[in-house]
Amino acid sequence: MASFKKIDLSGVFPPLPTPFNQDETINYEHLRNNVTKWNEIGFKGYVVQGSNGEYTYLSDTERVELVRTVKQAAAPGKLIIAGSGCESTQATIDMTCKMAEAGADVVMVITPFYFKGRMTSQAFKTHYEKVASASPVPVILYSVPANTGVDLPADVVVQLSQHPNIIGIKDSAGDVTKFGSMVQHTQASGFQVLAGSASFMLGTYTVGAVGCVAALANTLGKEVCQLHNLFKEGKMEEAMKLQHRLIAPNSAVTRKFGVPGLKVAMDWFGYYGGPTRLPLLPLSPEEVESMKADFQNNGFL
Amino acid sequence: MASFKKIDLSGVFPPLPTPFNQDETINYEHLRNNVTKWNEIGFKGYVVQGSNGEYTYLSDTERVELVRTVKQAAAPGKLIIAGSGCESTQATIDMTCKMAEAGADVVMVITPFYFKGRMTSQAFKTHYEKVASASPVPVILYSVPANTGVDLPADVVVQLSQHPNIIGIKDSAGDVTKFGSMVQHTQASGFQVLAGSASFMLGTYTVGAVGCVAALANTLGKEVCQLHNLFKEGKMEEAMKLQHRLIAPNSAVTRKFGVPGLKVAMDWFGYYGGPTRLPLLPLSPEEVESMKADFQNNGFL
Amino acid sequence: MASFKKIDLSGVFPPLPTPFNQDETINYEHLRNNVTKWNEIGFKGYVVQGSNGEYTYLSDTERVELVRTVKQAAAPGKLIIAGSGCESTQATIDMTCKMAEAGADVVMVITPFYFKGRMTSQAFKTHYEKVASASPVPVILYSVPANTGVDLPADVVVQLSQHPNIIGIKDSAGDVTKFGSMVQHTQASGFQVLAGSASFMLGTYTVGAVGCVAALANTLGKEVCQLHNLFKEGKMEEAMKLQHRLIAPNSAVTRKFGVPGLKVAMDWFGYYGGPTRLPLLPLSPEEVESMKADFQNNGFL
Amino acid sequence: MASFKKIDLSGVFPPLPTPFNQDETINYEHLRNNVTKWNEIGFKGYVVQGSNGEYTYLSDTERVELVRTVKQAAAPGKLIIAGSGCESTQATIDMTCKMAEAGADVVMVITPFYFKGRMTSQAFKTHYEKVASASPVPVILYSVPANTGVDLPADVVVQLSQHPNIIGIKDSAGDVTKFGSMVQHTQASGFQVLAGSASFMLGTYTVGAVGCVAALANTLGKEVCQLHNLFKEGKMEEAMKLQHRLIAPNSAVTRKFGVPGLKVAMDWFGYYGGPTRLPLLPLSPEEVESMKADFQNNGFL
């Protein structure tokens, strides 16, 4: 399996939202149209069913079908990373295999989190090693404390980086100290660290992150890719200025207004956003105005 | 639907663990045997798929089948409360209807929690009102911050208590101030408050809780029922002494050692505990010893 | 020193606010007048410089002088408990000795908390043992996580209860499980547990708390004493009803509106409240109205 | 006062620990010797009484005397930043004036934090505006949630940056998103943002931090200054490698082992570290070994 380590994750990935009709059924046609537009942007690939995909609101069948749809609509060469995490180890393995069959090039596995008190380092290690050993495609770890309430410890990440089928991590907490520590102790093995948000992208790149999964890339894809490139070209002053401008819009579609906000912003930029599933509520008019200001004040609307 | 309010929840309910074989498949026979033994104890009924049921590790089919099995094995008159909560509102409604059909007398609906930042009071209200209005059986709210990271606010509980099909709450956080406040403002409507743990049972009874869903009742069922009765009889001194003795064993099978601990303790007391599903790991020998001491020091082993 | 254990802490203690003039200097005359009024109520004694005394805003000289003033104004037999805690062990010892000399019968020592990461069980033990061994008067432990961000662990409390000069604890967190555990394991030594708030008074009494230090007692002293007595007389139903009515007013003068709120309420009930020191700001008119409703809705205004 | 904005804070500042004798009295001679050695390193200046100065364990007199001593021992041109924060606004003003008189060029004012529930944005604004308006020297804001439990919100920082006598902030939380946001919205006014730790130095520099107050600089001063210079020279690859190597040693002397750890490390590098005041305890032998490994594994011992 060692060859899997050669999959290159460097670049920008939007974590695709799931388009729903007003009756909450999935609209696959809108998804295909969105992907067709995103194909024009210099993304490395797509993340299907990160948190922004509302994956916790989807049935198993829907989860797999969404991967299949994105795979078919994606331009050749785009990497398909599918979020296959479930709470139990066995369910995660089953979903991993189904998503691989449906076209996922890589799976991204969120930390289990319900029984927080027992999610010890050993539990995380056991979970990820079993999943990675059973997976037909490489595995990326996924830590997102804002949603899960648990943080995958850096030393566990370092140990898991030794597994031949675990090739990277998406970390959405944005602690640059942890990012630096993870990169320092895993880079020899080819393990790759991805920033889980455009808000702290530049800071984490500076300590060795090679790519970014950014909700904001769904609406401001070119700009997020530009920030990636500016850093690669060493244009630090320009990169800083662009990073500054991305913080408020990114915070708006993540921390402040969540998936409902992201979908509103997608509508603004010519994509289909549409409604979320309940219990996620639509934004109030005041929230929409506030979010609009976050984009306008930074020159994006 | 107003008549639903007449269902009496006062009493003790064990939240049943799900018995697994070594290969992690469900062993329904062991479940029936356990229920048969529990039928001898003075429980008010059974909670199927509280957190201790490892419900997040079960398939939809398994969840319903477990309800059916418990209903069949339960002695006549035992109230079957089924945990039907899912992350999305629609999935919760679907599961609620299936569980009601399978024999649930009442459903218990956990707070949705993945998108913590958007789980506003309005989101909780919308979720519960839609579920309660669609449910063929009465609904109990369920707040368990230790697992979910969200706490259902007291004022939302008070508002929801006005819904004719919402008859109570199981609160596992144990904040007696919140318990007192909830009871004060909901008792006029017949809403019933249940303690979600034996550790703080007496304290919450004092401010108006009428029953208790206690993991410990799976192993020390008679003792938990005795505490319930001592309070009812006004024997406060004896109640206090028994409450003291229950704290360490209860903490052992919940906060300290979780479901794996509870299952070990069940084995000690003649029930089938067995393994958990991964990523929950079995206790280490040191943890087993520590847990044993918590029971022995209080005279229960 | 063993005889110190015989000091009886059972009863209600208001934690006295410090009266300031508009220029933020202390008005000792107002303090004496307040104490004179409080002397009419059935309090066990007074706490000088709990959190409500704004002790972190006082100079060392002021802290001692306030103890002296209260001692002189207190009716004979009232127990004077003085908050002598400082961040360093030596400063706490110095303040303890000065306060004892100024008339304190007992000192109450808050957990040190600034260097949270190093406030281990061993650090707490060392601190309290040194203070208790050096103190000419008995010591009460004081844990108030809402202000300090640290919680004195139950097992540390149990160990410290063995010290002949440590006679009790005031715990303001209100976790009844912890209260029960502390009482169970310390009562043999005569250690006494006090509730740090009227909001959870009844719940903690039920598991063995013998008294209460309640901010609300500064304004509704008779009612808080009545709740104490109802419990002692075993009138649980009446106690519950009164407890319910005290929660909202107590929350108003603590968690919701803090010391500025408490001082406003004191003005309502014929005491001198007056301003706080900055950076504590006065309540807004909306906050005053909200607080008034909390009292009125429970029949206290 | 506008001219104060011209004080240049770009560079590295060690936050000086306070040297104690075994009896916990201050040893000013050791402090002078330490400063003499530090004068050889390319520091911008010294912070007297950041958290590492154990300022919460010092008397008012000691606090001022330490500033005077450092001022006298510092090489000409070194900027003396004195931590003058107290809990009350008036005490902070008094301390600020005394420290300015004793030689402080700038004061650094920690957020008040005891009454967390009332430390609203308005309370912070009032506090800082009053202090800044009364201060004879420029003011730097100081936010250190790990110790205080409160975080100065970015929008409050932006508003305070408009005050002519508030010239910067030291932020020890290390959230690069907040750093980027603060820099973007304050740089027009000349406000300067300092990283409060060497662990996240490079990440915050990338988004506009101009300097760093780093505990680690007390022992690895040249290396921290080198990281500063590498960034200024645009040598990002070398900077990343050095940043990686500094994380573990810096974490050791801050988050993991605190001031007692920092003092042990100072002894290793030829400075006087010595004991802390109680309740801070000395490191255990195991902790010393663990810390040594953190330095050795990165080539520093």
Side-chain angles (χ1 to χ4, degrees), chain A residues 85-242:
Chain A
C86 303
E87 272 292 306
S88 88
T89 305
Q90 188 57 52
T92 304
I93 290 172
D94 294 345
M95 182 57 75
T96 293
C97 293
K98 284 180 196 157
M99 285 180 161
E101 208 175 272
D105 301 305
V106 175
V107 292
M108 184 177 83
V109 177
I110 196 169
T111 54
F113 57 91
Y114 188 73
F115 295 106
K116 293 176 175 49
R118 297 297 292 176
M119 289 301 102
T120 59
S121 292
Q122 190 55 48
F124 284 134
K125 279 185 62 184
T126 303
H127 179 73
Y128 279 114
E129 286 171 354
K130 284 191 178 286
V131 172
S133 295
S135 173
V137 294
V139 170
I140 295 176
L141 314 171
Y142 178 24
S143 182
V144 55
N147 287 338
T148 65
V150 302
D151 188 29
L152 194 62
D155 65 321
V156 174
V157 174
V158 172
Q159 291 172 63
L160 289 171
S161 74
Q162 298 303 311
H163 192 289
N165 206 22
I166 298 178
I167 66 168
I169 183 171
K170 170 189 172 188
D171 190 309
S172 296
D175 173 353
V176 287
T177 306
K178 186 188 173 192
F179 269 82
S181 184
M182 290 192 296
V183 171
Q184 180 186 22
H185 296 103
T186 65
Q187 57 190 1
S189 70
F191 188 82
Q192 298 166 83
V193 176
L194 303 179
S197 164
S199 286
F200 48 74
M201 189 174 165
L202 188 57
T204 57
Y205 272 46
T206 313
V207 291
V210 300
C212 184
V213 181
L216 189 66
N218 286 295
T219 61
L220 298 180
K222 282 184 189 167
E223 290 79 358
V224 178
C225 289
Q226 191 186 355
L227 179 52
H228 178 90
N229 294 331
L230 287 171
F231 176 80
K232 292 294 168 192
E233 297 159 9
K235 297 178 178 168
M236 296 304 294
E237 189 69 22
E238 283 176 73
M240 180 180 80
K241 285 178 183 164
L242 180 53

Side-chain angles (χ1 to χ4, degrees), chain A residues 285-296:
Chain A
E286 292 73 25
E287 290 177 313
V288 172
E289 282 314 299
S290 165
M291 195 170 81
K292 194 169 284 182
D294 288 330
F295 278 78
Q296 288 175 330

Side-chain angles (χ1 to χ4, degrees), chain B residues 32-298:
Chain B
R32 276 186 288 267
N33 291 341
N34 282 345
V35 174
T36 301
K37 283 182 194 149
W38 284 318
N39 281 335
E40 303 301 310
I41 298 171
F43 294 136
K44 184 74 175 185
Y46 303 111
V47 167
V48 191
Q49 290 161 58
S51 299
N52 288 291
E54 297 175 62
Y55 83 95
T56 56
Y57 296 172
L58 303 173
S59 73
D60 290 358
T61 311
E62 290 172 332
R63 292 180 68 175
V64 176
E65 193 54 30
L66 284 164
V67 172
R68 196 182 320 274
T69 303
V70 173
K71 178 67 174 182
Q72 289 167 351
K78 299 287 183 187
L79 206 60
I80 307 299
I81 302 177
S84 66
C86 303
E87 272 292 306
S88 87
T89 305
Q90 188 56 51
T92 303
I93 290 172
D94 294 345
M95 182 58 74
T96 293
C97 293
K98 285 180 196 159
M99 286 180 161
E101 207 174 271
D105 300 305
V106 175
V107 292
M108 183 177 83
V109 178
I110 196 170
T111 54
F113 56 90
Y114 188 73
F115 295 105
K116 294 177 173 50
R118 298 297 292 177
M119 289 302 101
T120 57
S121 292
Q122 190 55 46
F124 284 134
K125 279 184 62 184
T126 303
H127 179 74
Y128 280 114
E129 286 171 354
K130 284 190 180 286
V131 172
S133 295
S135 173
V137 294
V139 170
I140 295 177
L141 313 172
Y142 178 24
S143 183
V144 56
N147 288 337
T148 64
V150 302
D151 188 29
L152 194 62
D155 65 322
V156 174
V157 174
V158 172
Q159 293 173 63
L160 288 170
S161 74
Q162 297 305 310
H163 191 289
N165 206 24
I166 297 179
I167 67 168
I169 183 170
K170 170 188 171 190
D171 191 309
S172 296
D175 173 354
V176 287
T177 306
K178 185 187 173 192
F179 269 83
S181 184
M182 290 191 296
V183 171
Q184 180 186 23
H185 297 102
T186 65
Q187 58 190 0
S189 70
F191 189 82
Q192 297 165 83
V193 176
L194 303 179
S197 165
S199 287
F200 48 75
M201 190 173 164
L202 188 57
T204 57
Y205 272 47
T206 314
V207 292
V210 300
C212 183
V213 181
L216 189 66
N218 286 295
T219 62
L220 298 180
K222 282 184 188 167
E223 290 80 356
V224 179
C225 290
Q226 190 187 356
L227 179 51
H228 178 91
N229 294 331
L230 286 172
F231 176 81
K232 292 292 167 195
E233 297 160 9
K235 297 178 177 169
M236 295 305 294
E237 189 68 24
E238 283 176 74
M240 181 180 79
K241 285 178 183 164
L242 180 53
Q243 172 67 82
H244 286 170
R245 292 172 58 216
L246 296 181
I247 289 175
N250 187 69
S251 295
V253 301
T254 56
R255 187 175 47 77
K256 278 168 74 179
F257 303 120
V259 184
L262 174 57
K263 288 188 165 180
V264 167
M266 287 175 66
D267 288 330
W268 292 342
F269 288 90
Y271 300 92
Y272 178 83
T276 57
R277 282 190 172 166
L278 288 174
L280 281 177
L281 296 176
L283 298 195
S284 70
E286 292 74 25
E287 289 177 313
V288 172
E289 282 315 298
S290 165
M291 195 169 81
K292 194 169 284 181
D294 288 331
F295 279 78
Q296 288 175 331
N297 293 342
N298 288 287

